[in-house]
Amino acid sequence: MSQQPQGQPPQTQEQTDDTPMQDSSSEHEPKKLTLLDLPPEILHQVCAHLPLKSIRSFRLTNRFLGEIGACHALPELVFYLHTTDFAALRSIASHPIYPRFVRSLIYGCDILPSPRLSLKQYIAECRRTEKRRAKMHARHACDEANRPPKPQAEVRESYKEYKRVHQAQEEIMRDQRDYEILKEVVGKMTNLKEVMVSSDFEFRLGSLTSSSSSSGGGNGTMMKSDALRNCRTPFDKLDCLTQLDGEKGQEGVRHLRAILMAVKEAGIELKSLCAGLIHWSFFNEALGNFGFHSMGNLLANLTRFELLVLPGPSQDPEDFQRADAIEMNNMSIDVMEEIFRCQGLMRTGVIRNLVKGMPNLEVLSIGFMDHAEDNDFIFPARLQDVIPLNHTFPNLESLKLEGLETERQELTDFVVRHKDSLMRLELRDMRLVTTSWRKLLPELRYELKTELMEEVSIYGMALGMGEEDGDQELEEWFMGDPEDHGATELATKVQKYFMNPSVSDCPLSRENMEPIPDDDLMDQDILEHPLEGLVPEHELAELILGGMHFPGGGHPFGDPFDDPSFEVPGGWLD
């Protein structure tokens, strides 16, 4: 008989029987799982839903998770034609993991304009920029309005950095190192699917989301990159915010050509391509330069194609401020001549043939920016020039058209043919040559069953012609811009008409037509308050820029086309 240990109470039979049962249950207690116990496939799925900041923390856990996180650390790269950015690209491309998981490249077209400014010019430009900022902040009641100007010594110091950056930029362009570097790095990005070339802030801001159907977003909306929303550039620390908008007369051309050549060299089949603003000369195949036509079948699998074309020379507001009446007339004539050259090229179908070779499109956006501001009836392209109207894109979900002229019937025929797939439609700055918007809207609403779509909207100007007997006169409405000064009340009513079946009457009528503002650079202070005495010279130039009328009536100069030296370009009357 076993002896009970001294000092302990005797065990009962119940206690004795329970003891081995407790030991048995503890032996079968499940082991707690950690991240390290999950299979790599699950960890990749986790990383795919994490923001980049969390992925950086995830990678610091240990070496194993660091390698998994590296696959998701740099899905999208934003860069500019700048030595710092090109050095970073090369560094990323030399990493054993990073380049294989880059899916999207965004090339900003901002560059410092040539020729390089002198110190005196640089200081003057800085002071001018400071005044503009102060005026803008004062208008919005910001504290920044009271910020004092930078000391002269600081401005002089920043000029040294400006000279260094400008010289490096000139060397890159002269030696074509941008072409060389892009070919080198893109060739290592074997999973690259999306390319964006952004000039003059295109695709950086907007009401449309940045989701992409080709990259898993699944909603087919127009591409707006989060990386470019309020994006900083390598030029930001320069005090002189000169025209960072690309080479004059060649906006976006060099950048788009360089990245497409790199994609062609690597044999990459893209899923998404967004480019804008791109000067129209890029499409002139007769010049023998590399272009879309050189890409072979590498664009045939695109599901997203967004293109915004600049049909004329970009004009610097400073040039207008310094110009007299004769110089201003000459600049207007130059703009018109170039728009007509663009028009002739577009009628060859160079963009239409390009789009026709993209049968899998889900998102299509074609637009022309800043057409002839002094004449709202001159458009650089027709709808039939850029869209194969007899072609069907079976997967088309989103369509945006801008700066084109067409007719009610051909526009309706094309969009109705895609009614089974089309979920979003946006028309902006469009002209119906001989037909009416008051007939177009009810047709679209009935044929497309727009109340079942996600979005149907009309912005900018809508020009047309009445079709009723005794009403064959010009139609013109202005519906604003949600990405700039905001949509007008009329634009909101039009959208409700499309999306709300309880709204029965078409919101467009003769009674609510309104003149189309000539330019968005107008000085709001002058428009809101009566003129007292002479208008300051710099504000007068802003009024003239868009052919704007004085608030009290009249115009500072006559119509530019009253100039007897102006000759109508060939083919205009056609």
Side-chain angles (χ1 to χ4, degrees):
M1 185 176 189
S2 62
Q3 300 289 324
Q4 188 72 23
Q6 293 288 331
Q8 292 188 12
Q11 292 183 339
T12 63
Q13 183 64 36
E14 183 179 355
Q15 289 175 322
T16 305
D17 294 340
D18 286 344
T19 300
M21 291 178 62
Q22 292 173 348
D23 292 341
S24 174
S25 62
S26 62
E27 289 177 2
H28 294 86
E29 184 177 344
K31 177 185 176 182
K32 292 183 179 179
L33 293 177
T34 67
L35 277 176
L36 298 177
D37 296 312
L38 295 175
E41 295 81 5
I42 299 297
L43 294 173
H44 280 293
Q45 287 294 323
V46 170
C47 287
H49 292 82
L50 291 178
L52 290 180
K53 185 176 180 180
S54 298
I55 289 178
R56 296 189 184 104
S57 301
F58 181 89
R59 293 191 60 213
L60 296 176
T61 307
N62 60 31
R63 184 182 298 275
F64 171 68
L65 296 182
E67 292 179 354
I68 295 230
C71 302
H72 304 268
L74 295 170
E76 183 176 77
L77 300 180
V78 184
F79 64 98
Y80 294 81
L81 197 154
H82 191 281
T83 52
T84 303
D85 284 15
F86 281 157
L89 276 178
R90 275 183 153 160
S91 175
I92 291 170
S94 64
H95 192 274
I97 298 176
Y98 288 156
R100 292 185 288 117
F101 293 93
V102 173
R103 291 183 53 85
S104 176
L105 285 180
I106 302 174
Y107 197 2
C109 297
D110 302 0
I111 61 174
L112 294 172
S114 294
R116 186 167 69 236
L117 299 177
S118 66
L119 175 59
K120 182 178 179 180
Q121 292 171 323
Y122 183 84
I123 293 174
E125 184 66 30
C126 290
R127 297 310 183 203
R128 191 179 297 115
T129 299
E130 287 176 340
K131 289 181 181 178
R132 287 176 175 171
R133 281 175 172 168
K135 185 176 181 181
M136 178 185 69
H137 291 309
R139 183 173 294 158
H140 297 288
C142 297
D143 294 336
E144 290 289 322
N146 300 318
R147 186 174 65 175
K150 280 196 173 184
Q152 195 87 336
E154 288 188 26
V155 177
R156 288 176 177 271
E157 192 64 29
S158 73
Y159 180 70
K160 296 179 182 179
E161 174 66 9
Y162 165 79
K163 283 180 62 177
R164 185 193 68 79
V165 173
H166 200 287
Q167 182 177 351
Q169 174 184 286
E170 287 182 333
E171 291 175 356
I172 290 173
M173 298 176 71
R174 183 193 63 221
D175 301 335
Q176 296 194 335
R177 295 217 310 265
D178 49 340
Y179 289 87
E180 172 190 335
I181 293 172
L182 285 176
K183 285 184 179 180
E184 173 189 331
V185 301
V186 171
K188 298 179 181 180
M189 298 175 181
T190 53
N191 285 307
L192 183 66
K193 299 298 180 185
E194 303 173 356
V195 164
M196 178 189 294
V197 176
S198 175
S199 173
D200 196 29
F201 293 93
E202 292 309 317
F203 310 114
R204 304 188 193 195
L205 297 172
S207 58
L208 298 173
T209 68
S210 60
S211 300
S212 167
S213 58
S214 62
S215 60
N219 64 2
T221 51
M222 304 300 173
M223 189 170 186
K224 303 286 178 179
S225 173
D226 288 335
L228 281 174
R229 194 179 298 271
N230 301 319
C231 179
R232 297 184 61 82
T233 78
F235 306 101
D236 287 347
K237 59 183 177 181
L238 300 179
D239 292 311
C240 183
L241 297 180
T242 50
Q243 305 84 28
L244 299 175
D245 55 2
E247 301 171 86
K248 292 297 180 184
Q250 290 289 301
E251 287 80 1
V253 170
R254 183 189 187 100
H255 297 71
L256 180 57
R257 182 168 289 142
I259 202 164
L260 286 182
M261 289 180 71
V263 168
K264 171 75 179 295
E265 180 99 352
I268 294 174
E269 294 186 2
L270 296 175
K271 290 292 185 181
S272 173
L273 177 59
C274 302
L277 290 167
I278 305 299
H279 192 267
W280 67 273
S281 61
F282 178 85
F283 302 92
N284 193 348
E285 300 176 6
L287 297 178
N289 295 321
F290 188 96
F292 285 125
H293 62 283
S294 312
M295 295 297 290
N297 294 323
L298 293 179
L299 302 180
N301 290 322
L302 284 180
T303 58
R304 177 187 301 271
F305 183 55
E306 298 187 46
L307 178 66
L308 192 58
V309 181
L310 182 65
S314 60
Q315 296 292 342
D316 182 1
E318 295 293 330
D319 293 339
F320 280 92
Q321 292 182 12
R322 292 186 289 264
D324 57 26
I326 296 177
E327 291 172 331
M328 195 168 301
N329 284 351
N330 291 336
M331 283 189 281
S332 297
I333 292 170
D334 290 342
V335 170
M336 296 300 300
E337 288 180 342
E338 188 159 346
I339 287 177
F340 284 119
R341 290 169 59 199
C342 171
Q343 190 181 78
L345 178 62
M346 292 302 114
R347 294 200 175 188
T348 66
V350 60
I351 294 182
R352 179 181 65 240
N353 296 333
L354 172 67
V355 173
K356 190 175 182 179
M358 304 173 181
N360 302 315
L361 285 177
E362 299 172 11
V363 178
L364 175 60
S365 174
I366 303 287
F368 288 78
M369 193 78 162
D370 295 334
H371 70 291
E373 295 180 348
D374 287 324
N375 192 325
D376 293 319
F377 301 96
I378 300 176
F379 283 70
R382 303 168 299 181
L383 180 62
Q384 61 182 295
D385 296 333
V386 299
I387 299 288
L389 295 178
N390 295 323
H391 190 73
T392 301
F393 300 91
N395 303 317
L396 188 63
E397 298 177 9
S398 183
L399 176 66
K400 178 180 177 180
L401 302 171
E402 178 176 359
L404 300 167
E405 64 179 17
T406 182
E407 293 290 8
R408 170 175 57 84
Q409 297 87 343
E410 67 180 10
L411 177 59
T412 302
D413 289 346
F414 181 76
V415 296
V416 169
R417 194 180 319 125
H418 295 86
K419 65 180 181 180
D420 291 337
S421 61
L422 195 63
M423 297 302 294
R424 284 162 296 278
L425 174 65
E426 180 178 330
L427 305 175
R428 186 185 293 246
D429 292 331
M430 298 285 288
R431 179 192 177 202
L432 303 179
V433 181
T434 64
T435 47
S436 172
W437 286 89
R438 288 174 292 164
K439 282 198 170 184
L440 175 66
L441 266 62
E443 282 184 4
L444 291 179
R445 178 180 178 176
Y446 175 76
E447 297 289 348
L448 290 179
K449 298 189 182 335
T450 53
E451 69 274 9
L452 302 178
M453 298 174 65
E454 293 181 9
E455 181 180 356
V456 180
S457 52
I458 300 175
Y459 297 120
M461 63 180 184
L463 293 174
M465 194 69 66
E467 295 187 59
E468 302 293 338
D469 292 339
D471 188 23
Q472 297 176 346
E473 297 181 6
L474 172 68
E475 298 177 338
E476 56 177 343
W477 294 274
F478 181 71
M479 303 193 205
D481 184 348
E483 300 175 11
D484 194 354
H485 300 300
T488 65
E489 182 181 355
L490 181 58
T492 303
K493 289 181 178 179
V494 168
Q495 194 168 40
K496 287 182 179 178
Y497 173 73
F498 282 126
M499 309 309 296
N500 188 347
S502 65
V503 179
S504 57
D505 296 331
C506 176
L508 301 185
S509 67
R510 284 280 176 201
E511 288 69 31
N512 61 14
M513 289 186 189
E514 57 181 314
I516 298 165
D518 290 304
D519 199 278
D520 61 2
L521 295 177
M522 54 190 171
D523 192 304
Q524 293 294 332
D525 292 335
I526 296 180
L527 293 180
E528 295 168 0
H529 306 289
L531 295 174
E532 297 179 1
L534 294 176
V535 180
E537 180 180 352
H538 70 283
E539 296 181 349
L540 176 63
E542 290 184 351
L543 286 173
I544 297 169
L545 176 60
M548 171 104 23
H549 291 275
F550 278 91
H555 192 280
F557 297 111
D559 192 318
F561 299 98
D562 290 338
D563 183 354
S565 65
F566 174 69
E567 296 182 3
V568 178
W572 188 2
L573 297 179
D574 295 335

